[in-house]
Amino acid sequence: MNTSLNYAYYPGCSSTGTSIEYDMSSRAVCAALDIKLTDVPDWSCCGSTPAHTVDHSLSSALSARNLDQVASMGLDSCITPCPSCLANLKTAKHRMEDEGFRDKVNNLLDKPANTKIETKSVLQILVEDYGIENIRKKVVKPLTGLVVGAYYGCILNRPAELMQFDDREHPMAMDNIMEALGATVVPFPLKVECCGASFGIPRKDVVMRLSGKLLDTAKSIGAMALVTACPLCQMNLDMRQDQINHANGSHHKIPIFYFTQLLGLALGLTEKELGMNKLCVSPRTLLDFMVNEENIKEKAA
Amino acid sequence: MDPVKYLKSADLMSWLEELARENKVFAPRYEGDAVIFAPFDPKQEISIKHAATMPPKKTVFPQSEKLVDFTYSKDPENLSRILIEAKEILPKGTTVVFGSRPCDVRGFTMFDRVYLAEKTTDVYYKARRENTSFITLACEKPETTCFCHWVDSSPSDASGSDVLATPIEDGYVLEPFSEKGQKLLTSSLLENGERWILEVKDVHENAAGFLANAPDLSQAPQKLLDVFDNMEFWENAAAKCLSCGACTYLCPSCYCFNITDETTGMKGTRFRSWDNCMSAQFTMEASGHNPRPTKAHRLKNRVGHKFSYYPAIHDGVISCCGCGRCIKSCPVGIDIREIVQEAINHEPAIGKE
Amino acid sequence: MPVLTGKELRIVGFLCNWCSYGGADTAGIGRFNQPTDLRIIKVPCSGRIDPLFVVKALMNGADGVLVSGCHPRDCHYAEGNFYARRRLEIMHNFLPIIGYEPERFEYTWVSASEGQRWQQVVTSFTEQIHKLGPAPKILGPEASDTLSLMQAAL
Amino acid sequence: MKVININLSYNSDFVTQVEEESGQKLNNCYQCGKCTAGCPYTEEYDISVSQIMRLTQAGQKEQVLQANSLWLCATCESCTARCPNQIDVARIMDVLRHMARKEGYVGTGRVKTFWDSFLSSVKNNGRVFEVGLLVNYISHTGRFWTDIGLGPKVLPKGKIHFKPTEMQGKKEVAKIFMRFKEESAR
Amino acid sequence: MKVGVFVCHCGSNIEATVDTAAVAAAAREFPGVVFATDTMYTCSEPGQDEIVNAIKEHNLGGIVVASCTPRMHEQTFRRTVERAGLNKYLFEMANIREHVSWIGKDREANTNKSVDLVRMATEKLLRNRPLYSKKFDINKRVLVIGGGVAGIQAALDCADGGLEVVMVEKTSTIGGKMAKLDKTFPTVDCSSCILGPRMVDVAQHPNITLYAYSEIEEINGYVGNFEIKVKKKATYVNWDSCTGCGICMEKCPSKKATDYFNEGIGKTTAINIPFPQAIPKKAKIDPDFCTKLTKGKCGVCAKVCPSGCIDYEMQDEFVTEKVGAIVTATGYDLFDWSVYGEYGAGRYPDVITGLQYERMLSASGPTGGHIKRPSDGKEPKNIVFIQCVGSRDKSVGRPYCTGFCCMYTAKQAILTKDHLPDSQSYVFYMDIRAVGKLYDEFTRRAMEEYDTKYIRGRVSMIYPKGEKLLVRGADTLMGSQVEVDADLVVLAVGAEASAGASELAEKLRISYDSYGFYMEGHPKLKPVETNTAGVYLAGACQGPKDIPSSVAQGSAAAAKVLGLFSKDQLESDPQVSIVDIKRCIGCGKCIQTCPFGAIKEMEFRGMVKADVIETICQGCGICTSTCPQGAIQLQHSTDNQILSEVNALCQF
Amino acid sequence: MGNPRSESNKGDQVKFQEELKDNIRKALPELDVVIGWCGSFDPLHATPHFMRREEDIDKLEISPLSVHNLATYLPGLRGKKVGIVVKGCDSRSVVELLQENLINREDITIFGFPCTGVVDQSKIKKALGGHTGNIEFCDMSESVIVIKSEDKAYTLPMAEMLADKCSSCRYPDAVISDYFAGEKIGNKGEEDADYAAVETFENLSVPERFGYWLKEFDRCIRCYACRNACPLCVCRDHCAAESRDPHWLSQENNVRDKLMFQVIHAYHLAGRCTECGECQRACPVDIPVLMFKQKMNKEIRDTFQYEAGVDPEATPPLLSFKMKEENITEKVW
């Protein structure tokens, strides 16, 4: 096992607000696994979807500023928990390899952009650099009894040529992690379907329909909970679950975890460290159930 | 002859520059680690302290020269009818070579007997020979490989030269040996040199004094003929020969050439280039037969030609000027002096069946 | 012999008969537009190509030389391109010592079916040569003839 | 229905511009419809994505840039991921959006306003300030009831801050936006 | 040499972008050229006559034709000059069509380039020498590789024509893909009823030797005299005594073996005969599943076999066959559709291939001809057919159209209705390719009479929804997304070159395209020849083909072989290497590098020299580029000839 | 020629020199000739020495002047029983000739000795101010060379006068021999060859490199001593340089053809050259022709991990191939 994993860490804007528990649990899990994270100094917003819908050079310039901050750390790569940030940072690097485009971006910047910085997701480094088998060894509190579906969202591994991670139609990274943590993983057929993304505010109806379908499907396959790796997905499914129920006449009460939260739990971290209390759909009953199941199992043993 | 002139060492470059105004001037200079006669360039240092690596043979007998440019043209009415227009390329302009050594220039006298012969004058050679003047430097001290005195010459031999320059303290005494030479000595940089004539003589005698006694080569022509059929003798002599052309191409008195045509499209050129009797292609016949099939045969020819066959038809003059370059530059140190002497001393085996 | 001044550079192509010459034909049949600089010399096999042909072409004034044969394992003569690959690779890497950019000479594999690949190879190789500009030409018998011209060019 | 004269209405500049800015070749599209088949937003679209592709290929600029669909694409990449001709459809949608924005076509105002609010938040703070973004959006749309129901749910979770987080380089970020505005004005 | 130059207009093919008259005018200035003209169609009869007349009138010694590629007409013009009394190697071609006029529109540049190409050809021609062929004996036996319908046709035609045929088939029965089909389109007649008798003919033909369950190990030699090493893979059953009674199959306790013949629908026994009509009808053991071979336990088959032919110790065996020609009929394989994640990548049991469906439809298949969902064995009601899976799809590296899927899908839709009258079939298609006699009528019938719903659009996703599969596609004609709740999804999976095709091509020394399909000699004029003399193609190994085309090609290949063997001797290509004995120093580098063993040492006046065996030399010229002193020269591509072309192009 | 023969070459070398002479004495009766070195026209030069009779052996001298690679003579003596005295580097040429079947092992008797290096005449010439035409005396020890020339005495450090190939020599002992006189120094074939000079040269700009060679080859007289001194130029009388069929080169004195010849030479030696340096040493006008071959060898080493003249059973890399070449990365278009 690589004992000295060391990364620059780009938290992304939502880490300070709506996805604070993702940030907390990511940091906690990495600390527990001896993975050293150093925050990218004075990072700024990557521009997210709105920027690239306005202009590609603007979007890349916003990312480029951050990539340059990474370079100033003397590093050539960074990681981020957020797929949207990931997509932006990766796209910027990739597109800036084209000279003409780079010139356009440089026109917007104080100093020429760095085109060497690679970005990976927290999920990717856990799977590829740290390794599932090593995670399995670290499990102290298996997620016994938990039946969970893994929902990846649309841009974590698409487009495949750019993201270079996992299968574009049937990603397995989180499934495998959950399996390693002792949970029962049910194949989630709509792993890469869109949840409605950032349309929650301007076109809530769209999110209600798309995220509603995801929750319906989760229920139909018997998942007690879903795990996600994306702040937007999590927000749509968790924070808006009541709105969805209301709009669609459904009665879901499905906890939506960040995979890092469940991972932390299995590693023996406290619920508080992992921000379990920040979830809108309370996982309380489920968490208690798991503890109970584990006790039964131990007794049986 | 006009009076002898004196040139201050300090004025040498200026004088050469003067000469270069009306002539193409060649002087020896370093190219890499070799001293080569190259077009005079006032910005580049000349090197005249010792004999050059290569003699100035190229100046009169270029390594390769265009003899004729020819063009084919077709009769537009009948494309099978081809007209050939040939243009002889005769060298133009005058050349002055400075810094040659007596042996270097004496070599041309071997050429002269062949190429300037009345019935078979070589126009290309003649033109160059006549347009080229040699300001030869007398040698102050011969080298280990020098043997000009074996072949009826000396470190101050002026034969073939137009001016003989003898280095004395701070300058050169310049003696003209031809009309061309006299014409070269008209510069205002030169002063009368009569008063140094005795010192010149000293330099010459002193140089000759360094040379050990020369063996008598009068027997050489006959002795070499005697060993003509003794292939064992020649195989021994040629054993270490590599058959390269270093000896012949550096030899001031080797004058063999080859003629080839190179054609591209409807144009072509006839070249004459140096040939080398040590090469397997030399005297190769069109049939593929070669009367001199081995390097022993070829070395025999080289030594024989210089010390026996040439003297036989040119009043006993040995076609070697004793510069020693073939010894010094031979990659395997073949010493022509040894071979000639061994031939002279060779006792036919007695009682052999 | 005239190269269309300003438009073309002199590019020589050595193509094996079975694959690449056919690939160039396929490109023609498909009407895949290509720059006009390249002239093709057909040889039976890339293994027939003495790398010295490449040097000869460059020294005689070519600005670029392209060799193309069958893909490895696809040689009509079983082994020709395997030999070619070694020999051409070595010559390619040798060229810089003489003072030619190695990019002036490339070798590649194009099969008879790969018309589009051929178009791409020709187009990008021609671009590559135009980027480098004309190769140094050795003029006249004496080095000084060329050297003074090179000096003037700098 | 409108009859389209194909040669007269073909806007070749439009086609060229889309191809250049997206780096995609429109003629590669053979209208199999797989993009539409996989698009989660087809239900909301006025013109399906494969038809957008067809109209773009056919140089029907007006019709394309007027499409509401452009503003409803969430860049989920389903179309790009599955296109048999490896066309980056999502990128073309992006480019069409840029063009629509520049030329003043604003289909679904709410989406654009939301995006604008988002960017102005970044411009002012260097990072997204979620409350500020919401306030800005509401003030531009007058949709006061937007997510008001979420307040009581989220507020106690400590997820909402009423002040933006401070960062030093926010001027640098603002400059990027400024220069972008200048560049676009050219 | 007096040279004549003919610059062809090729109608407007060349003339449109090349000033042929100017090229001819320029050629008049070239050395040796005494006659040059431009002609409309040089390859036409008047065009060729013009060459013949010019040779006679101007006493020409060599001809340059600037026209199309030599692959097209070099042979034509060589015959022309031969007709005029010249040696046919005193001829050169400049390719100003494929390499000039068709790839650029700049008339000035094209004309200039054409002049260059003619100059090069002329310079080379001036160094050409007359070359003369040698005759050699041929072995009039033919090897057919592959026992599918194309191979069977080729073998039977050759055998009926009196040739001895050796057939090598890699599986344990001949019949190929066709043997797996239930019915054939557009006649909907029984596949095995047509093919079966032909298979029996192969087994019984006195002229045919069949090696089933065998592979080509090595191919040496050249046209007329190939030597083939065949690997007979171990079957663990002595086929000389096996009667095909099938008792072993009945008793074999290991019943979980992959059933390759049934495309994995169902399982078979470890010792098996693939299907009742197999030819040869012999049992073989699948060593991966036989417990006797994997664990050393069992031995039931040996006990029950009435003729005692089980041999667990059997090893692969090699036999050598000598033949004069080879017909390659290795067919195709199905594209590995599991790359389509959006279709489940094989995760969903009720998403199957068309060929699996075919086995399901077949009365002799694993379901006895009943259509059942593999997941639960239930009869499906809604069946979705998806076309172009692994066809016309650049993203999976298969941009070509397989060509026959449209037809078999229509056939399967029709058969589905026959089997399950209450069912409803849906076909997602992009275009319907129904080019052939009665083909379009057939697909129309599927729609008109069998009420198959054709939906114009591709499917983007299949995912399980309860017991059903949700198929989400597009109907581009409606412009909308559509969904079907399907019970069974059948993928019309496209064809790709059969596994191992490229390795075999390397042994055969023939070329293949980037997909692994074999290259024909000329796309129009030599559809069954290859560029290697004596090797012919039949069937889908050259590209996907339906049954009639495969059969036609099988017959065509046979006709080519019969034509080749109509002479007793063949002429060798004289473009071979020759040693200049004077220059050869006997270092043997040429011997070391010759891939054909065509150079041997010989003694000449006590010295070692190289010597070329003309009939073995294939004319590659590796020796010439290896010989440092240029003593061995490939005739017609000598150093001087190539240098003259270089010099014609580059003169400082 | 009556020049004072030096009393040189004493010290350690004498011991194995006598042992070597004994070896030769033992073997000579079975041999037609044994090739070694002896003194030459001045004390600073040696020359190849063909020993046919017992008394010839006395003249044998091994010293840092024994520069010539005598393997050059072997192919020409094919059919005869030949003994040859070899330095480490020379022995690699013998290996190469054996590998290419240009000589028969059973006809060759190899006499090896521990070589401590040979001098580079041009370095000495430079040290002596550019003139070695009047050498009167020369004496050598392991560490210094003492020379008297034109009444001046010079003491030159041996290490600085050694040929470049010697200062980085990895094969001081013959890699193949029948007799070995003296104590082996130890070969270090596993170490990498030193191509620093080539690498430095390659750092020059493209026109600088091109111009350099034009200038250097301008003085070439096409004597082909480089070729003829090369032990692996086995075409000899049939060299492509002077042939009309194939007609690679014209006989015109132009720098293009001179340069082209050097490329031909280097390419024909690719994977065969052992860098004995005889080409460069033989050049009468001191053109640095070895660098082309070194560059070729560097590429051969980097691409095929092959070094010529080590294994008589090996095949030169350009006469063989692998289906998959680990070190060849083809251009991607």
Side-chain angles (χ1 to χ4, degrees), chain A residues 16 18 21 42-43 45 52-53 56 65 95 108 110 158 168-169 194 202 209 240 242 278-279, chain D residues 40-41 44 76 78 81-82 91 94 98 110 126-127 130 147 153 157 159 161 168-169 172 179:
Chain A
T16 62
T18 44
E21 66 271 41
D42 200 42
W43 56 271
C45 178
H52 75 72
T53 60
H56 288 143
R65 183 186 173 274
R95 289 224 56 204
L108 307 181
D110 285 345
R158 292 197 306 208
R168 68 177 156 91
E169 295 289 349
C194 189
R209 180 172 65 81
R240 297 189 186 281
D242 275 359
K278 312 266 181 197
L279 297 177
Chain D
Y41 297 90
E44 330 296 335
C76 76
S78 296
R82 292 173 188 156
R91 173 148 226 106
D94 246 6
H98 302 165
R110 276 185 278 152
R127 293 178 191 164
E130 287 166 333
D147 282 342
K153 270 188 105 58
K157 307 262 176 208
K159 287 187 166 187
H161 307 277
Q168 299 160 342
E172 286 174 34
R179 291 196 191 109

Side-chain angles (χ1 to χ4, degrees), chain D residues 1-14:
Chain D
M1 245 183 154
K2 210 169 106 186
V3 176
I4 296 170
N5 180 313
I6 286 182
N7 58 343
L8 294 182
S9 66
Y10 179 81
N11 186 334
S12 67
D13 291 346
F14 170 65

